[in-house]
Amino acid sequence: MEAADSLCLGCFANNGGRSPCPHCGWAQGTPAGSPLHLSPGTMLNDRYLLGKVLGHGGFGVTYLAWDLMLKVKLAIKEYLPRELATRAPGHTAVTIFSSERGFSFEKGLESFLDEARRLARFREHPNIVGIQDFFRANNTAYLVMNYIEGITFREYLERAGGKLPFSAALEIMMPVMDALREVHDNGILHRDISPDNIYISTTGQVKILDFGAARNVLGECSQSLSVVLKPGYAPEEQYRTRGEQGPVPYSARRRWCS
């Protein structure tokens, strides 16, 4: 941990322990932004040092992190569905609201881990954010991903004035299509493609991320799918609770599930 003491928890640059950080302005001792979030400086799996929160939503929290073994910056997503569980201030373990919600929480957690296992096979794909590790801890689960320096496609569009020439849009969307074809061929649906989940790195590489709404077709074995959508970007069949979704016919899913 001695080497980690000189790292800024806001950007993980080696700032010699100075505060605020001359690289990003992070002040040492800055608390977590919410009682639900793990505090900066928390250690996970005896290997990953957590920094600031990168983003949070209804199903989880994503942290900036440092791999003490490989000495690289990462992003770690924590499974934390707010309708089912919470975290008491000053504690690391997640608490499920009630025994009635425990089944749903555990089912979601297993899906979270299963998704990580299946997505890990794409870690070398140039247009999918790589999954490096996943594990259980604190009564929940974590997914360790490559950290990509860059901006979302939404931010990119805003900087471009809200629209792009056809050639520029095609240059961004073709890698997205390549990535989706790869995951679809393996029976995985993303189900949340939007400008927020398309990332453009500082080197110009296009990545799709946040498979939080993805459903593994191999594991569904059912025509009944919950409504998970982003208005304005979801296909019409996603608005129906019972509908055939994705590029894989239901008959094929039945064969895989049998």
Side-chain angles (χ1 to χ4, degrees), residues 152-199:
T152 66
F153 187 30
R154 180 178 296 280
E155 294 171 300
Y156 186 89
L157 279 171
E158 289 173 353
R159 294 181 184 184
K163 58 183 179 180
L164 296 174
F166 176 78
S167 58
L170 192 65
E171 188 175 345
I172 291 171
M173 294 310 299
M174 286 306 295
V176 173
M177 297 299 104
D178 288 341
L180 289 177
R181 180 173 60 245
E182 187 74 19
V183 296
H184 287 171
D185 285 347
N186 284 272
I188 298 173
L189 305 182
H190 189 289
R191 300 180 74 207
D192 195 19
I193 292 295
S194 71
D196 293 313
N197 291 330
I198 298 171
Y199 213 70

Side-chain angles (χ1 to χ4, degrees), residues 182-241:
E182 187 74 19
V183 296
H184 287 171
D185 285 347
N186 284 272
I188 298 173
L189 305 182
H190 189 289
R191 300 180 74 207
D192 195 19
I193 292 295
S194 71
D196 293 313
N197 291 330
I198 298 171
Y199 213 70
I200 302 172
S201 74
T202 53
T203 60
Q205 195 169 33
V206 177
K207 302 267 189 180
I208 59 172
L209 47 82
D210 195 0
F211 279 76
R215 289 298 181 88
N216 189 323
V217 179
L218 292 173
E220 283 294 335
C221 303
S222 171
Q223 282 183 300
S224 179
L225 300 175
S226 61
V227 177
V228 180
L229 56 86
K230 185 166 290 183
Y233 297 99
E236 64 86 19
E237 63 268 21
Q238 239 177 297
Y239 287 81
R240 292 183 271 119
T241 56

Side-chain angles (χ1 to χ4, degrees), residues 62-73:
T62 302
Y63 304 89
L64 184 66
W66 182 258
D67 186 335
L68 292 171
M69 183 181 297
L70 299 180
K71 311 297 183 186
V72 294
K73 193 158 44 174

Side-chain angles (χ1 to χ4, degrees), residues 45 106 109-110 113 117 134-142:
N45 217 29
E106 190 64 26
L109 187 147
E110 287 296 336
L113 290 172
R117 294 184 190 98
F134 52 91
F135 55 91
R136 284 178 178 252
N138 298 330
N139 200 32
T140 186
Y142 298 87

Side-chain angles (χ1 to χ4, degrees), residues 52 64 74 86 97 106 133 142 161 171 215 245 250-251:
K52 67 180 182 181
L64 184 66
L74 298 164
T86 188
F97 284 132
E106 190 64 26
D133 193 9
Y142 298 87
E171 188 175 345
R215 289 298 181 88
Q245 298 184 23
Y250 177 65
S251 58

